[in-house]
Amino acid sequence: MNEIVLASRNPNKIHELRELLSIPDLRVLSTTDFSELEEVEEDAVTLEGNALKKAKYVAMVTGLPSLADDTGLEVVALNGAPGVYSARYAGEQASYDDNVEKLLSEMTQMNVRNAQFRTVVAFVDADKQWLFEGVCTGQISRYRKGAEGFGYDPIFVPDGFEQSFAEMDAKQKNSISHRGLAMKKAVIFLQDWL
Ligand code: IMP
């Protein structure tokens, strides 16, 4: 049985990634299975930099291949913000709800509401590193809709849909989401790599 370690402690994310990574003969561990792993500061200025930083650290400490992702919500009218700072848009200790509130209030007067979620997945083994990207374009709604998912899901309506991500179940969201698309590329790669 091959093993890889997801470089994440976020239960929402581990759950989502485990569903996407259901490959036969692959056991998917996570940061929470290794008490020796410390928190990695996500201080790179790009999604690629943060994803690689997390995967490299976990691979180095555990001696196992590691997969990490970093995601940003890039709003066109805000020149790509909050982007790599999406998790702490409303401040270092901001909750999902604080970030959503800040984005809605920044955009009250804005009619151009196009945005995209962009995920970069990094996979690092003993010798090499690989990057996979997934993008999902859509619109920032004026109000929160739905109770599923996490983060900015209640205010992101993907192109071609009327519902927000928070009004979709995990399966539907994964089939069109930034992370789903990046992970599909990673899964195709991993099937060969195993
Ligand atoms: P992370 O890099 O995946 O931790 O994402 C950074 C931030 O982006 C999170 O704290 C969330 O606020 C937001 N985010 C990431 N992925 C999603 C998603 O699928 N839906 C909504 N928000 C997300």
Side-chain angles (χ1 to χ4, degrees):
M1 180 70 84
N2 289 287
E3 292 184 321
I4 66 168
V5 187
L6 294 179
S8 178
R9 289 180 200 282
N10 177 335
N12 295 308
K13 199 186 283 182
I14 293 170
H15 179 73
E16 231 182 65
L17 292 182
R18 278 219 167 100
E19 274 190 17
L20 296 165
L21 271 171
S22 48
I23 302 173
D25 298 326
L26 182 66
R27 184 155 173 247
V28 180
L29 304 167
S30 78
T31 299
T32 48
D33 296 307
F34 297 87
S35 54
E36 65 273 36
L37 286 171
E38 290 170 16
E39 200 67 48
V40 179
E41 202 186 339
E42 298 190 28
D43 56 0
V45 293
T46 61
L47 300 175
E48 288 78 1
N50 279 333
L52 275 172
K53 184 179 180 186
K54 289 186 277 184
K56 279 182 179 172
Y57 168 72
V58 171
M60 183 187 73
V61 174
T62 64
L64 290 169
S66 174
L67 184 144
D69 76 324
D70 201 35
T71 296
L73 176 62
E74 301 171 339
V75 178
V76 173
L78 297 175
N79 298 316
V84 73
Y85 306 106
S86 293
R88 48 204 146 110
Y89 190 42
E92 274 314 313
Q93 305 301 324
S95 67
Y96 289 146
D97 202 50
D98 296 337
N99 290 331
V100 165
E101 197 52 47
K102 171 158 163 116
L103 186 56
L104 284 178
S105 63
E106 296 273 325
M107 293 186 72
T108 314
Q109 307 295 329
M110 296 179 181
N111 292 322
V112 177
R113 304 188 70 90
N114 311 56
Q116 64 178 27
F117 271 116
R118 192 165 71 87
T119 293
V120 174
V121 167
F123 180 69
V124 171
D125 72 8
D127 312 312
K128 280 196 187 160
Q129 60 193 46
W130 295 266
L131 291 173
F132 309 93
E133 185 188 62
V135 169
C136 181
T137 58
Q139 300 281 317
I140 304 300
S141 59
R142 292 194 174 270
Y143 306 98
R144 294 172 174 79
K145 298 194 293 179
E148 301 294 319
F150 66 99
Y152 298 89
D153 280 349
I155 56 164
F156 185 81
V157 178
D159 286 341
F161 293 82
E162 306 256 302
Q163 309 119 281
S164 73
F165 267 162
E167 293 177 300
M168 298 180 179
D169 62 27
K171 199 168 170 214
Q172 188 178 10
K173 179 186 168 188
N174 286 341
S175 72
I176 57 167
S177 81
H178 42 294
R179 200 166 15 261
L181 297 173
M183 286 300 294
K184 249 179 223 153
K185 293 182 188 170
V187 166
I188 290 169
F189 166 81
L190 283 171
Q191 281 164 337
D192 256 11
W193 174 89
L194 284 175

